[in-house]
Amino acid sequence: MTMLKRSLPGRTSLKLAAALAVLALTGAQQPAAAQELAKDLFGAEKLPAVAAPQSFGFYSKGCFAGGVAIPMDGPHWEVMRPSRNRRWGHPAMIGLIEKLSRDAAADGWPGLLVGDISQPRGGPMLTGHASHQIGLDADIWLTPMPDNRLSTDQREKMSATLLVDEKTHLVKDALWTPQHMRLLKRAASYKEVERILVNPGIKKKLCDTVKGDRAWLRKIRPFWGHDYHFHMRVGCQPGSPDCKRQETTVPGDGCDQSLAWWFTDEPWRPSKNPDKPKARELMTMASLPRECRAVLDAPAPSSAEAATYHDKGGDKSIADATPAPPVAAPEPAVTGDAGALPASANAFAATPEIGIPLPRPRPGN
Ligand SMILES: [Zn+2]
């Protein structure tokens, strides 16, 4: 059974719908506030937008309403770096992390150390990730949860274990265990999970060692960083018509020349243009789907606890359990100035199907 301690009055959804309607009427005219950097506005939000859960835009350029928080502690998880206030996500994402924590525990992984998910209303962040903007990305540490409960101070300061040698880009064999493999396989087994990003060394380790069913390796994608955590990305959820789908992963297990490319010098050369601004330095409100303005303006719940997702252990997703008054989304298409943004705004696009992948800029995460 799933229980959501959150009030969801229809009136607030109506307000959001009204705000969206006003935005639709103002058409292409952008208010002066549109020039503010979106990271400053979304980075300042402490609580989610009360409305039916809905993601707007893309993983690296969007926002979301109806966010819920994962509790700081569960039977099989602990939230890390709590001061960042990035334990918010679409209810389907939060429910899935809790389910993974139970399934992983049954598989022999003691519990999850949960890293960043999203800001309460998503959007670009002041520091770190290029993506994680629509409540459908989560970082899970590759360090098992310790036996003793971590104090708040430990959660802020405990350093993660790097599983990959920085020089060879290969997994440190002394640290890698079959339980790591099982955890990734379990996460990849969920239909909601469209891809999982890991360091190329981890992908190679899986390619070299996984026997039997290898179909799940298709979802495991190599990427820079991700040497102490993996990044789990869920697809656009029902009720989010303005959520932009990512490209599907290419067929096959990915243990081919596209992986071999990562073990050449090319991906690791210093950037030719190190001073190029990151996407978040250019992203104004005008860059985001226009619904994101209404998401910013929407009412907040009375407290974080009031929007915290308490799962009693069932498999039913919160999205199924919540009677969701739909948020009117009058805008037909997500516009914006995608062309003006650096390519890192589209990080995590699928590896090109043929030949080696094109070098891509290294995003913060
Ligand atoms: Zn991530």
Side-chain angles (χ1 to χ4, degrees), residues 318-353:
I318 190 172
D320 297 337
T322 310
V327 172
E331 288 312 302
V334 173
T335 53
D337 53 356
L341 291 171
S344 57
N346 288 316
F348 305 167
T351 306
E353 202 153 353

Short mmCIF file of all heavy atoms in Angstrom, two decimals, residues 318-353:
data_model
loop_
_atom_site.label_atom_id
_atom_site.label_comp_id
_atom_site.label_asym_id
_atom_site.label_seq_id
_atom_site.Cartn_x
_atom_site.Cartn_y
_atom_site.Cartn_z
N ILE A 318 3.08 5.44 -6.89
CA ILE A 318 2.30 6.54 -6.33
C ILE A 318 1.47 7.21 -7.41
O ILE A 318 0.38 7.71 -7.16
CB ILE A 318 3.24 7.54 -5.64
CG1 ILE A 318 2.44 8.56 -4.83
CG2 ILE A 318 4.13 8.23 -6.64
CD1 ILE A 318 3.29 9.43 -3.99
N ALA A 319 1.98 7.16 -8.62
CA ALA A 319 1.22 7.78 -9.71
C ALA A 319 -0.13 7.08 -9.89
O ALA A 319 -1.13 7.70 -10.19
CB ALA A 319 2.02 7.71 -11.01
N ASP A 320 -0.13 5.76 -9.65
CA ASP A 320 -1.38 5.02 -9.74
C ASP A 320 -2.28 5.35 -8.56
O ASP A 320 -3.50 5.35 -8.66
CB ASP A 320 -1.11 3.51 -9.72
CG ASP A 320 -0.29 3.09 -10.92
OD1 ASP A 320 -0.33 3.82 -11.93
OD2 ASP A 320 0.39 2.06 -10.84
N ALA A 321 -1.67 5.58 -7.41
CA ALA A 321 -2.43 5.71 -6.18
C ALA A 321 -3.02 7.11 -5.99
O ALA A 321 -3.98 7.28 -5.27
CB ALA A 321 -1.53 5.40 -4.99
N THR A 322 -2.46 8.09 -6.63
CA THR A 322 -2.90 9.45 -6.42
C THR A 322 -3.93 9.84 -7.47
O THR A 322 -3.66 9.78 -8.65
CB THR A 322 -1.71 10.42 -6.56
OG1 THR A 322 -0.66 9.95 -5.75
CG2 THR A 322 -2.09 11.81 -6.14
N PRO A 323 -5.12 10.23 -7.03
CA PRO A 323 -6.05 10.77 -8.02
C PRO A 323 -5.50 12.10 -8.48
O PRO A 323 -5.44 13.06 -7.72
CB PRO A 323 -7.35 10.93 -7.25
CG PRO A 323 -6.95 10.98 -5.81
CD PRO A 323 -5.61 10.34 -5.67
N ALA A 324 -5.03 12.15 -9.69
CA ALA A 324 -4.27 13.31 -10.13
C ALA A 324 -5.09 14.25 -10.97
O ALA A 324 -5.41 13.95 -12.11
CB ALA A 324 -3.05 12.85 -10.93
N PRO A 325 -5.49 15.38 -10.40
CA PRO A 325 -6.16 16.37 -11.24
C PRO A 325 -5.17 16.86 -12.28
O PRO A 325 -4.09 17.34 -11.91
CB PRO A 325 -6.53 17.49 -10.26
CG PRO A 325 -5.75 17.24 -9.03
CD PRO A 325 -5.23 15.84 -9.04
N PRO A 326 -5.48 16.69 -13.55
CA PRO A 326 -4.49 17.05 -14.56
C PRO A 326 -4.25 18.55 -14.59
O PRO A 326 -5.18 19.33 -14.47
CB PRO A 326 -5.11 16.55 -15.86
CG PRO A 326 -6.57 16.48 -15.58
CD PRO A 326 -6.73 16.20 -14.11
N VAL A 327 -3.02 18.91 -14.76
CA VAL A 327 -2.67 20.31 -14.92
C VAL A 327 -2.89 20.67 -16.38
O VAL A 327 -2.40 19.97 -17.26
CB VAL A 327 -1.19 20.54 -14.55
CG1 VAL A 327 -0.77 21.96 -14.91
CG2 VAL A 327 -1.00 20.29 -13.08
N ALA A 328 -3.64 21.71 -16.62
CA ALA A 328 -3.84 22.12 -18.01
C ALA A 328 -2.52 22.58 -18.59
O ALA A 328 -1.80 23.34 -17.97
CB ALA A 328 -4.86 23.26 -18.06
N ALA A 329 -2.20 22.08 -19.72
CA ALA A 329 -0.94 22.46 -20.37
C ALA A 329 -1.27 23.01 -21.75
O ALA A 329 -1.27 22.29 -22.73
CB ALA A 329 -0.01 21.28 -20.48
N PRO A 330 -1.61 24.28 -21.82
CA PRO A 330 -2.15 24.82 -23.06
C PRO A 330 -1.13 24.96 -24.18
O PRO A 330 -1.50 25.10 -25.33
CB PRO A 330 -2.65 26.20 -22.65
CG PRO A 330 -1.81 26.57 -21.46
CD PRO A 330 -1.50 25.29 -20.76
N GLU A 331 0.13 24.92 -23.84
CA GLU A 331 1.13 25.14 -24.88
C GLU A 331 1.30 23.91 -25.74
O GLU A 331 1.51 22.81 -25.23
CB GLU A 331 2.48 25.51 -24.25
CG GLU A 331 2.46 26.91 -23.67
CD GLU A 331 1.88 27.90 -24.65
OE1 GLU A 331 2.41 28.02 -25.76
OE2 GLU A 331 0.86 28.52 -24.31
N PRO A 332 1.23 24.05 -27.05
CA PRO A 332 1.32 22.88 -27.91
C PRO A 332 2.72 22.28 -27.92
O PRO A 332 2.87 21.09 -27.86
CB PRO A 332 0.98 23.43 -29.30
CG PRO A 332 1.22 24.91 -29.21
CD PRO A 332 0.99 25.29 -27.78
N ALA A 333 3.73 23.09 -27.98
CA ALA A 333 5.06 22.53 -28.13
C ALA A 333 6.03 23.30 -27.27
O ALA A 333 5.82 24.46 -26.97
CB ALA A 333 5.51 22.59 -29.59
N VAL A 334 7.06 22.61 -26.85
CA VAL A 334 8.11 23.27 -26.09
C VAL A 334 8.96 24.05 -27.07
O VAL A 334 9.55 23.49 -27.98
CB VAL A 334 8.97 22.22 -25.36
CG1 VAL A 334 10.17 22.89 -24.71
CG2 VAL A 334 8.12 21.50 -24.33
N THR A 335 8.98 25.35 -26.89
CA THR A 335 9.82 26.15 -27.75
C THR A 335 11.10 26.50 -27.00
O THR A 335 11.55 25.74 -26.20
CB THR A 335 9.08 27.42 -28.20
OG1 THR A 335 8.61 28.07 -27.02
CG2 THR A 335 7.93 27.08 -29.10
N GLY A 336 11.66 27.63 -27.25
CA GLY A 336 12.89 27.98 -26.55
C GLY A 336 14.01 28.12 -27.55
O GLY A 336 13.80 28.04 -28.76
N ASP A 337 15.21 28.32 -27.05
CA ASP A 337 16.32 28.60 -27.93
C ASP A 337 17.37 27.52 -27.82
O ASP A 337 18.50 27.77 -27.48
CB ASP A 337 16.91 29.97 -27.62
CG ASP A 337 17.26 30.09 -26.14
OD1 ASP A 337 16.95 29.13 -25.40
OD2 ASP A 337 17.83 31.11 -25.76
N ALA A 338 16.96 26.32 -28.10
CA ALA A 338 17.87 25.19 -27.96
C ALA A 338 19.14 25.39 -28.78
O ALA A 338 20.22 25.01 -28.36
CB ALA A 338 17.18 23.90 -28.39
N GLY A 339 18.99 26.03 -29.93
CA GLY A 339 20.14 26.19 -30.79
C GLY A 339 21.23 27.04 -30.16
O GLY A 339 22.40 26.87 -30.48
N ALA A 340 20.83 27.92 -29.25
CA ALA A 340 21.80 28.82 -28.66
C ALA A 340 22.56 28.17 -27.51
O ALA A 340 23.52 28.72 -27.02
CB ALA A 340 21.10 30.07 -28.16
N LEU A 341 22.10 27.02 -27.08
CA LEU A 341 22.72 26.41 -25.91
C LEU A 341 23.87 25.50 -26.30
O LEU A 341 23.86 24.90 -27.36
CB LEU A 341 21.67 25.59 -25.14
CG LEU A 341 20.59 26.43 -24.47
CD1 LEU A 341 19.50 25.53 -23.94
CD2 LEU A 341 21.19 27.26 -23.35
N PRO A 342 24.85 25.40 -25.42
CA PRO A 342 25.95 24.49 -25.73
C PRO A 342 25.45 23.05 -25.82
O PRO A 342 24.40 22.71 -25.27
CB PRO A 342 26.90 24.64 -24.54
CG PRO A 342 26.33 25.66 -23.65
CD PRO A 342 25.00 26.08 -24.15
N ALA A 343 26.22 22.24 -26.49
CA ALA A 343 25.81 20.86 -26.70
C ALA A 343 25.64 20.11 -25.39
O ALA A 343 24.94 19.12 -25.33
CB ALA A 343 26.83 20.14 -27.58
N SER A 344 26.28 20.57 -24.33
CA SER A 344 26.17 19.83 -23.07
C SER A 344 24.74 19.85 -22.55
O SER A 344 24.36 19.03 -21.74
CB SER A 344 27.12 20.39 -22.02
OG SER A 344 26.87 21.75 -21.82
N ALA A 345 23.92 20.76 -23.06
CA ALA A 345 22.52 20.74 -22.68
C ALA A 345 21.85 19.47 -23.19
O ALA A 345 20.83 19.06 -22.70
CB ALA A 345 21.80 21.95 -23.23
N ASN A 346 22.44 18.88 -24.18
CA ASN A 346 21.89 17.64 -24.71
C ASN A 346 22.77 16.44 -24.37
O ASN A 346 22.81 15.46 -25.09
CB ASN A 346 21.70 17.74 -26.21
CG ASN A 346 20.54 18.66 -26.54
OD1 ASN A 346 19.50 18.57 -25.90
ND2 ASN A 346 20.73 19.54 -27.48
N ALA A 347 23.51 16.58 -23.30
CA ALA A 347 24.34 15.46 -22.86
C ALA A 347 23.47 14.24 -22.67
O ALA A 347 22.29 14.34 -22.41
CB ALA A 347 25.01 15.82 -21.54
N PHE A 348 24.06 13.11 -22.78
CA PHE A 348 23.39 11.82 -22.59
C PHE A 348 22.56 11.43 -23.80
O PHE A 348 21.75 10.53 -23.73
CB PHE A 348 22.49 11.77 -21.35
CG PHE A 348 23.18 12.14 -20.08
CD1 PHE A 348 22.45 12.40 -18.94
CD2 PHE A 348 24.56 12.19 -19.99
CE1 PHE A 348 23.08 12.73 -17.76
CE2 PHE A 348 25.20 12.52 -18.82
CZ PHE A 348 24.45 12.80 -17.69
N ALA A 349 22.75 12.11 -24.91
CA ALA A 349 22.11 11.62 -26.12
C ALA A 349 22.71 10.26 -26.46
O ALA A 349 23.81 9.92 -26.01
CB ALA A 349 22.35 12.59 -27.27
N ALA A 350 22.01 9.50 -27.22
CA ALA A 350 22.48 8.15 -27.53
C ALA A 350 23.80 8.20 -28.29
O ALA A 350 24.07 9.12 -29.04
CB ALA A 350 21.44 7.44 -28.37
N THR A 351 24.60 7.19 -28.05
CA THR A 351 25.82 7.05 -28.81
C THR A 351 25.46 6.81 -30.27
O THR A 351 24.58 6.01 -30.55
CB THR A 351 26.61 5.84 -28.29
OG1 THR A 351 26.77 5.99 -26.88
CG2 THR A 351 27.96 5.73 -28.93
N PRO A 352 26.11 7.49 -31.18
CA PRO A 352 25.77 7.27 -32.59
C PRO A 352 25.86 5.79 -32.98
O PRO A 352 26.71 5.08 -32.49
CB PRO A 352 26.83 8.09 -33.33
CG PRO A 352 27.24 9.14 -32.37
CD PRO A 352 27.12 8.53 -31.01
N GLU A 353 24.97 5.42 -33.82
CA GLU A 353 24.81 4.00 -34.12
C GLU A 353 25.98 3.43 -34.88
O GLU A 353 26.38 2.30 -34.69
CB GLU A 353 23.52 3.80 -34.93
CG GLU A 353 22.97 2.41 -34.85
CD GLU A 353 21.47 2.44 -35.07
OE1 GLU A 353 20.88 3.52 -35.15
OE2 GLU A 353 20.93 1.35 -35.19
#
